[in-house]
Amino acid sequence: MSAVRTFAEIPAALLALADAQEGLLSVQQCDRNGVDHSRRTHRVRAGLWRVAARGVVDTCPVLPGARSASDLPQRPVAPLVVTDDATAWARSREAWAAARRSRSPADRLFDHLRRRSAWAGMLAYGPDAIAVASCALACHGVEGLPVHIAPQAALPTGSRRRSKAGVRLRQFDDGMMTVAFGDRRTGVRRIASAERALAQAVPELPAMHGLAVLDSALRLEVVSRAGAARAHDHARGRRGVAARHELWDLADPRAESPLESFGRWQCIEAGVPPDTLQRPVRDRHGRLLGVGDMAWELNGGGWLVVEMDGYTWHEGDAGRARRDRDRDNDFAAAGIHVLRFDARHVREHTVGTRVRSFLG
């Protein structure tokens, strides 16, 4: 009868560090805490840990693409937009409220996957590694990125080292500013400033996501209008930016979610950009009935309003759905036409075509 294999307990300090780093640990961190190569190998072979990249282990045994909200770390390092950093005083109350708003389980899972990529890049290249591009934006709390972003980092010395499997090592930009990221568990790490990260990421992202991250950065006041303009200047000359210049002109902090940005971009692509965003709708007595996400003024009077319905607003909440139906009826009585779309319509790329069909 074979003996049941047991595993030595992992030090609590190392588990706390993994929790801070979205479940990831570097082999150097493991070695310093007494978890040597042999112990790591045994845990990986037993399916308790996974290899995330060369020199990086994942303490969550579930594949990233198969994870649910129950697999998330309890206390990861928070994004910079909701921590007390040196620029916190400059953000408006509205920006802080937007950054702190309640997140759905799906959104929290996606945030984890993005910041996991950022940590994988930093841990793969040691304590001097800097998160850049989309990875840095994820650490800044900017929304609208694809769910799966490639781990990437840069080294401040312009190292000749090559990229490791699964992690891209980028050239350190001349004059790139960095900001501190981390907490007492991780120590100070460095990530590209929001301005520089936007300049690096937007030319590489699909246009729909590029617009969404610019909208989000302005809405959350991660950058100012002047900062976004400087990011545009930093991006000039980069590969892919020629097809993305218009995104900086289109960026609008009134977009309240990436879903709204995605829907707006599809309308722009279809040749029917909205006339305005967040349009108040009132009845004939001046009473506010609601605010439309996007609106078009119709020939002969009246308006078309498009509402982008996110998961957290409707799924499993009959009361909210009923209130929306009542509001749609109020809009109709006020001469407002309403079209509603959700993430499925965005995935099917039908928002713009349906709006164009309605406008005729």
Side-chain angles (χ1 to χ4, degrees):
M1 185 174 180
S2 60
V4 176
R5 175 148 198 175
T6 61
F7 295 87
E9 189 173 348
I10 301 298
L14 190 61
L15 292 177
L17 182 57
D19 202 51
Q21 298 173 166
E22 301 293 348
L24 302 182
L25 294 167
S26 71
V27 295
Q28 292 82 6
Q29 290 171 335
C30 291
D31 288 337
R32 285 196 298 270
N33 285 270
V35 181
D36 60 17
H37 178 268
S38 176
R39 289 181 65 185
R40 294 193 300 270
T41 300
H42 290 156
R43 296 187 78 84
V44 169
R45 287 176 177 172
L48 300 176
W49 286 5
R50 307 189 67 86
V51 175
R54 185 178 176 185
V56 183
V57 293
D58 192 337
T59 59
C60 178
V62 182
L63 282 168
R67 291 180 188 177
S68 66
S70 63
D71 300 311
L72 304 186
Q74 296 300 306
R75 291 181 58 245
V77 173
L80 285 183
V81 77
V82 293
T83 57
D84 294 326
D85 67 283
T87 61
W89 61 270
R91 295 194 179 100
S92 68
R93 182 180 302 175
E94 292 77 15
W96 279 101
R100 288 191 171 108
R101 76 186 188 282
S102 144
R103 307 280 285 165
S104 72
D107 283 337
R108 289 189 287 108
L109 173 61
F110 298 158
D111 289 342
H112 157 71
L113 295 175
R114 297 176 186 115
R115 288 198 289 272
R116 178 184 180 276
S117 290
W119 277 110
M122 289 187 284
L123 294 173
Y125 288 100
D128 293 331
I130 299 163
V132 293
S134 292
C135 289
L137 292 179
C139 294
H140 279 288
V142 173
E143 300 169 358
L145 292 164
V147 174
H148 301 287
I149 58 176
Q152 50 186 308
L155 290 169
T157 56
S159 172
R160 295 178 178 273
R161 293 162 68 182
R162 296 183 178 180
S163 295
K164 297 181 179 182
V167 182
R168 177 186 175 190
L169 183 63
R170 294 181 66 129
Q171 178 94 16
F172 187 85
D173 287 1
D174 185 34
M176 182 169 72
M177 297 292 294
T178 65
V179 295
F181 182 70
D183 62 17
R184 59 179 178 78
R185 296 168 294 175
T186 65
V188 175
R189 292 278 180 168
R190 308 298 299 185
I191 65 175
S193 69
E195 290 180 16
R196 189 65 66 159
L198 286 170
Q200 295 163 340
V202 171
E204 300 173 349
L205 289 169
M208 184 172 71
H209 291 279
L211 178 61
V213 299
L214 286 167
D215 285 350
S216 174
L218 290 172
R219 180 183 176 228
L220 300 178
E221 297 179 14
V222 175
V223 295
S224 62
R225 274 288 184 188
R230 286 191 294 271
H232 192 187
D233 289 338
H234 293 320
R236 297 185 190 280
R238 291 181 179 273
R239 179 180 299 177
V241 76
R244 299 289 181 265
H245 284 308
E246 67 172 325
L247 300 183
W248 269 274
D249 295 327
L250 294 169
D252 195 318
R254 292 177 297 172
E256 294 189 340
S257 70
L259 193 67
E260 291 182 27
S261 301
F262 298 157
R264 185 165 107 257
W265 176 251
Q266 291 185 7
C267 290
I268 292 168
E269 280 192 309
V272 285
D275 294 328
T276 188
L277 307 183
Q278 307 305 324
R279 185 186 188 279
V281 176
R282 300 181 184 275
D283 64 14
R284 58 193 179 91
H285 302 294
R287 180 173 63 95
L288 182 66
L289 301 176
V291 178
D293 294 335
M294 297 184 281
W296 290 256
E297 189 171 10
L298 304 176
N299 293 332
W303 288 80
L304 166 66
V305 162
V306 161
E307 295 282 71
M308 301 300 299
D309 295 332
Y311 174 88
T312 55
W313 188 247
H314 293 99
E315 291 296 320
D317 192 328
R320 281 178 174 163
R322 183 172 59 252
R323 288 194 296 273
D324 277 347
R325 285 194 296 272
D326 291 343
R327 194 180 74 157
D328 289 352
N329 292 337
D330 290 340
F331 277 20
I336 306 295
H337 302 273
V338 179
L339 294 178
R340 288 190 173 275
F341 301 103
D342 56 27
R344 176 178 60 86
H345 298 102
V346 169
R347 288 193 299 270
E348 294 172 353
H349 214 86
T350 59
V351 177
T353 53
R354 292 194 179 190
V355 170
R356 185 178 61 195
S357 176
F358 180 93
L359 295 174

